[in-house]
Amino acid sequence: MPMAAEDIVALIKQGIPDAEVEMQDLAGDGDHWAATVVSPAFVGKSKIQQHQMVYRALGERMGGVLHALKLTTMAPRG
């Protein structure tokens, strides 16, 4: 059973409380997602470290019930 966008957002925000998360359903099937995550916690971190933070927030679900996630991360501008 695919994960709902709201569930993905909730998990990311639980792990990265100040994150702004935008979800896009890539295939219209509720199973292939793109997430854009913006957080001050990413300042000074490499893209790999930023992605690792999101993957930690998603826990065991990544690669399991959540198997298709295109991830874009960034620190806020300004």
Side-chain angles (χ1 to χ4, degrees):
M1 178 173 198
M3 282 190 74
E6 300 80 25
D7 295 337
I8 298 168
V9 170
L11 285 169
I12 293 171
K13 286 186 174 235
Q14 182 178 351
I16 309 169
D18 60 3
E20 293 179 29
V21 184
E22 183 179 311
M23 299 295 299
Q24 180 184 5
D25 187 345
L26 294 175
D29 62 1
D31 201 25
H32 296 81
W33 295 105
T36 300
V37 184
V38 181
S39 171
F42 295 152
V43 171
K45 303 238 183 329
S46 70
K47 285 292 180 189
I48 292 171
Q49 291 169 319
Q50 294 173 16
H51 285 214
Q52 288 172 335
M53 290 172 69
V54 175
Y55 293 146
R56 270 194 302 274
L58 294 170
E60 299 172 357
R61 291 160 191 87
M62 194 66 224
V65 292
L66 179 57
H67 63 272
L69 178 67
K70 176 183 173 193
L71 188 57
T72 303
T73 58
M74 65 189 81
R77 296 183 183 158

